[in-house]
Amino acid sequence: MSFIATMNLVLLLPTFSIFIGVFSEEVSQPGTVNVGAIFSFNTINGKVARAAMKAAEDDINSDPSVLGGRKLSITLHDSNFSSFLGIIGALQFMETDTVAIIGPQSAVMAHVLSNLANELQVPLLSFTALDPSLTPLQYPFFVQTAPNDEFQMAAISEMVSYFSWSEVIAVFSDDDQGRNGVITLGDKLADRRCRIAYKAALPPDSMAKRHDVSRELEKIQMMESRIIVLHTDSKTGLLVFEVAKSLGMMRKGYVWIASSWLSTVLDSISPLKPEIANSIQGALTLRPHTPDSKRKRDFLSRWNRLSNGTIGFNSYGLYAYDTVWIIAHAVRLLLDQGGKISFSNDTRLNGYTGSGLNLSALNIFDGGKQLLKNILETNMTGLTGHVQFNQERSLINPSYNIINAVETEHRLVGYWSNYTGLSIVPPETLYSKKPNRSSSNQHLDSVVWPGGETARPRGWVFPNNGRELRIGIPRRVSYRDFVLLVNGTNKVQGYCIDVFLAAIKLLPYALPYRFIPFGDGHKNPSYYELVSKIKSGVFDGVVGDVAIVTNRTRIVDFTLPYIESGLVVVAPVKKISSSAWSFARPFTPLMWAVTAAFFLIVGSVVWILEHRRNDEFRGPPNQQLVTILWFSFSTMFFAHRENVVSTLGRLVLIIWLFVVLIINSSYTASLTSFLTVQQLSSPIKGIETLISSNERIGFQVGSFAEGYLREELNIPKSRLVPLGSPEEYALALEKRRVAALIDERPYVDLFLSNHCKFSVRGQEFTKGGWGFAFPRDSPLAIDMSTAILALSENGELQRIRDRWLSKRACSSDNTEDDIEQLDLKSFWGLFLICGIACMLALLVYFWLMFRQFSRQRSEELDTTSPASSRSARLHTFLSFVDEKVERSKSSSKRKRESMSRNGYHIDDESTRRSVRMERSISHERQNGET
């Protein structure tokens, strides 16, 4: 036990001694298993629990095999709505060797008695104290034998999400169970992107008065949300419905979802009083789901006899019956395991024997831990279905019926289970299938809502019973085509206003509103301050040319954009006239130089590869130089007349022709653009140019552009110049007070329509749009977004834009960016491929030449004198390379034919030797002549 809990118990014990003394110490009769039960038996659940537990006791005792011949004795203690009397009853049970206690009924008592159960190791089982905060870590001897409120709140949150509501108001009893249940509801709603807009706390059940309820409901009437979750006890809950009926809160538009207390009223009180039945019409509630079975039907048939007709049956009676059986099975298992029902004194209480307190009667249950273990390992089939606990000590497969109160009866509209969510078929039929919690698999039958409506309520209204919305609009002094406040009247015009008016016409409800200008009328207001007025409650929304940017979305919700907008750079430009050298503009100088160099390189390579074989590449040096130049540059037009016969030459040429094709096509396209499109020149190419320079930059007063340039682009404030109107834009640019200005695209389009000396430079460097702003989580933002989508789809949005923004004297469409010259970086890959091809072709060619020359040289050395000098060999090689291939071959052929005609017959070796001698003599003659 914790120190605080121990001190609380010690402080209470002197008071208890008076009551404990009146109970004589009882000794358990042999063969009797004592179980206690603590309830307020004057409540609905208390009456049902009494009858159900008595029936379970009789059924267990009628079957000797259940407890091995022992008798079960359930002693009932009526706490009579008093936590104090509940504690007295628990202490009484601890004196009489009780093995387990069923109860208490409320979570308030459960928090206290669980500490006592922990100390004396007596299991405490409850099917009505379902507070989620009663965790096994803190209260290991407390067991909830019905689904706790965590699952009930999960079911309510899924219902809220299913009907597409985003906010609820929670009305609850301010005790442990009510408070912790609502906290759990908030967590479950947050998982589904919903929230509790307001928490209305009422006094606990026994203390709640009508004026307390009226005060809270009157507050709720003034709020937007109309979805009310009621988590109280039955007495307070019925009082809430009664007051709500009198305040007109059970009419059309309201939604009431009550926790399971209302289902116990509907099931157990029949017929309902007319005033109760009328006050709950259209409400939804939850009932713990128990599958149908023969045992359950047989038990229900006995109910009138068991309850003597004093109370109708509800589901908690089944849990009461099963709880008794859980204890009986656990005790029988304890006995079968060799355990004994024995108790021993707590030595820590011996020091209080002289205090006049009868503490010696408070004994520790020796088998308490084993009995608790057996309870948690329960695996049986009861009236509530399969009874088994999971590792978190919750019942497996928790589920609920969803009930709709209609007229004098109630109807089932669906089920909720922790396995598959919402469905219209019983959960037990789905346990054998794979779980599917997708939104398309969630279904409920139709619901009759308060006021008799069958259509799904919207779930919210405007605050203060539908007063006019205060819509803030910027009082602009420039670009008044977007928002224009007509002087002398309250009439507002403009593009943004027309979009708003067209959107609200598509809403499925009337929207009362009035426009409230914001600004002094001398300069454009700060739009961040304007939007902040929504957060502070001054405005209920903002309509105008408001950009959707990050710092604004943190405090308000925006609709979808109704126009695209992004920051662009505007700078002065000058028109570039055509000149005699315009043909050279497509390529940069470096590109021209590299292209010309490759023409010469490729021509030279082809000449080298063709020189020995092709007569067209032979002749005097000056003729060959002309051939190289002519062949190179004629490839640009595919008009070269020289034939290429070598394989390597053809390979190089085909690659070069592909490069020429690409270069020629690119040049033609670029030159066409230069000659046909109006060219505007400016040293500013875009935002990058401005960032890297020290030039001054203009921006519109009130725009988010200033903050973006300073915070995101780190441009010093000293470089930024505020400008208030298109006229100031033009004057600042013409006088060179600023090198460029930065503004949103819609403003720039209007500005350039009348100022053609300026142009947009580069691309938009932010992407965004304009939207209408509303408070966070306001449903109006969603509805208006839907309306804007409809305007876009039916073309009305474009027609509004054409009406306000398309009358142009000078369009910015002609102010295109400079067409970039083609640079080497666009073609270096092609030149690289061509260069590699030329290099490889030359390497292969000279390798073949060197090989042929080496073979010939070796043959000549066999018949001649020792090798000549290095210069002579080089000269010989160059002569070999320059020699035409066909001539050397024909000379050898003629010599062989001559020898054959003279009748000489020589073998191959003689022939080769003769040829080598002839070549050697010829070589020596040439040297001599030289």
Side-chain angles (χ1 to χ4, degrees), residues 3-24:
F3 175 77
I4 295 176
T6 303
M7 292 301 297
N8 289 337
L9 186 58
V10 170
L11 292 174
L12 288 173
L13 283 175
T15 308
F16 298 159
S17 62
I18 299 174
F19 296 90
I20 296 175
V22 301
F23 296 109
S24 61

Side-chain angles (χ1 to χ4, degrees), residues 124-405:
L124 197 64
L125 292 82
S126 179
F127 49 87
T128 54
L130 303 175
D131 181 357
S133 69
L134 289 164
T135 62
L137 292 176
Q138 186 176 6
Y139 307 110
F141 278 83
F142 182 78
V143 180
Q144 293 170 326
T145 58
N148 72 30
D149 286 345
E150 176 183 359
F151 302 105
Q152 186 170 196
M153 297 308 160
I156 292 175
S157 67
E158 292 197 30
M159 291 166 59
V160 171
S161 177
Y162 173 79
F163 289 111
S164 301
W165 298 316
S166 60
E167 288 186 352
V168 305
I169 293 175
V171 181
F172 63 98
S173 295
D174 195 14
D175 54 23
D176 289 344
Q177 186 153 335
R179 191 183 312 110
N180 293 326
V182 168
I183 291 174
T184 303
L185 174 63
D187 294 339
K188 298 297 182 181
L189 288 171
D191 292 341
R192 298 185 169 274
R193 302 188 69 181
C194 305
R195 71 184 188 99
I196 298 177
Y198 178 70
K199 296 178 181 179
L202 302 176
D205 196 53
S206 59
M207 297 184 290
K209 305 300 180 183
R210 186 181 184 91
H211 65 85
D212 298 321
V213 175
S214 297
R215 183 174 61 253
E216 288 299 327
L217 293 186
E218 287 170 359
K219 291 180 183 178
I220 293 172
Q221 274 190 308
M222 307 300 288
M223 299 177 183
E224 283 186 353
S225 179
R226 287 294 184 261
I227 314 300
I228 303 172
V229 176
L230 185 57
H231 185 48
T232 62
D233 292 324
S234 57
K235 179 183 175 182
T236 303
L238 292 177
L239 178 60
V240 170
F241 276 118
E242 179 186 343
V243 175
K245 179 72 174 177
S246 66
L247 293 176
M249 297 177 68
M250 297 303 297
R251 64 174 186 266
K252 176 183 176 182
Y254 282 90
V255 175
W256 288 83
I257 304 176
S259 53
S260 59
W261 67 266
L262 181 56
S263 68
T264 65
V265 172
L266 295 174
D267 292 336
S268 301
I269 302 178
S270 181
L272 288 174
K273 294 180 180 180
E275 58 271 20
I276 295 177
N278 289 334
S279 66
I280 63 174
Q281 290 299 302
L284 292 175
T285 185
L286 300 175
R287 174 202 293 151
H289 173 74
T290 54
D292 186 33
S293 66
K294 184 178 184 303
R295 288 186 62 196
K296 178 180 173 181
R297 291 193 298 270
D298 292 343
F299 183 78
L300 293 179
S301 67
R302 299 165 52 195
W303 184 252
N304 284 335
R305 177 173 56 83
L306 295 173
S307 64
N308 295 322
T310 59
I311 191 69
F313 173 80
N314 67 56
S315 296
Y316 289 104
L318 301 178
Y319 286 103
Y321 184 91
D322 281 353
T323 300
V324 178
W325 276 91
I326 290 172
I327 296 173
H329 282 300
V331 170
R332 175 57 188 271
L333 183 58
L334 174 66
L335 298 174
D336 292 343
Q337 293 168 341
K340 295 181 180 181
I341 300 177
S342 61
F343 296 82
S344 59
N345 291 329
D346 189 346
T347 57
R348 290 173 297 176
L349 299 178
N350 292 337
Y352 296 94
T353 54
S355 63
L357 301 177
N358 189 20
L359 297 179
S360 59
L362 300 177
N363 297 323
I364 296 175
F365 180 24
D366 297 329
K369 291 184 178 180
Q370 186 60 44
L371 181 63
L372 176 65
K373 182 175 183 294
N374 295 343
I375 289 173
L376 296 176
E377 292 177 352
T378 298
N379 190 354
M380 72 176 197
T381 300
L383 298 184
T384 58
H386 186 60
V387 180
Q388 186 177 357
F389 296 94
N390 58 23
Q391 293 180 349
E392 288 76 29
R393 293 172 57 166
S394 297
L395 289 173
I396 62 172
N397 298 328
S399 55
Y400 292 90
N401 298 345
I402 300 175
I403 307 298
N404 185 201

Side-chain angles (χ1 to χ4, degrees), residues 507-615:
L507 297 179
Y509 47 85
L511 181 66
Y513 66 90
R514 60 189 175 93
F515 291 123
I516 302 176
F518 176 79
D520 58 13
H522 301 293
K523 64 178 181 179
N524 294 332
S526 168
Y527 278 54
Y528 182 80
E529 292 181 8
L530 173 59
V531 171
S532 298
K533 295 297 182 181
I534 296 177
K535 184 179 180 180
S536 62
V538 175
F539 295 139
D540 299 312
V542 168
V543 171
D545 46 337
V546 182
I548 304 173
V549 294
T550 304
N551 64 342
R552 298 173 187 171
T553 58
R554 294 192 180 105
I555 57 176
V556 297
D557 280 350
F558 281 94
T559 63
L560 290 176
Y562 57 88
I563 187 173
E564 293 183 356
S565 175
L567 293 178
V568 293
V569 177
V570 177
V573 292
K574 61 179 181 178
K575 185 176 179 180
I576 300 177
S577 304
S578 298
S579 67
W581 301 99
S582 295
F583 68 88
R585 291 181 59 197
F587 287 165
T588 62
L590 179 60
M591 180 65 183
W592 280 116
V594 172
T595 303
F598 262 84
F599 274 112
L600 296 177
I601 291 171
V602 171
S604 300
V605 170
V606 173
W607 178 84
I608 293 172
L609 299 176
E610 293 291 319
H611 180 67
R612 297 191 72 221
R613 296 186 177 184
N614 195 336
D615 289 334

Side-chain angles (χ1 to χ4, degrees), residues 797-846:
L797 200 60
Q798 184 61 44
R799 286 190 287 271
I800 296 173
R801 181 168 183 169
D802 293 341
R803 185 163 61 248
W804 283 98
L805 308 179
S806 293
K807 43 183 183 294
R808 299 290 174 261
C810 173
S811 175
S812 62
D813 293 341
N814 291 331
T815 58
E816 301 291 340
D817 288 338
D818 284 349
I819 300 175
E820 296 291 337
Q821 290 181 302
L822 299 176
D823 201 353
L824 179 62
K825 63 183 179 181
S826 302
F827 301 96
W828 72 268
L830 290 173
F831 288 126
L832 179 63
I833 293 173
C834 185
I836 292 174
C838 292
M839 185 65 67
L840 291 177
L842 289 176
L843 289 175
V844 172
Y845 175 77
F846 282 112

Side-chain angles (χ1 to χ4, degrees), residues 456-512:
R456 179 189 70 86
R458 189 170 74 249
W460 70 277
V461 296
F462 298 110
N464 298 341
N465 289 325
R467 64 165 175 77
E468 288 184 335
L469 264 69
R470 297 159 299 178
I471 303 297
I473 59 172
R475 190 192 295 269
R476 295 198 59 89
V477 296
S478 63
Y479 294 115
R480 301 177 69 187
D481 289 333
F482 297 105
V483 179
L484 171 62
L485 183 64
V486 180
N487 293 331
T489 68
N490 293 325
K491 187 176 181 181
V492 183
Q493 299 175 344
Y495 168 72
C496 301
I497 302 300
D498 280 6
V499 173
F500 175 76
L501 296 178
I504 62 174
K505 291 179 181 179
L506 299 181
L507 297 179
Y509 47 85
L511 181 66

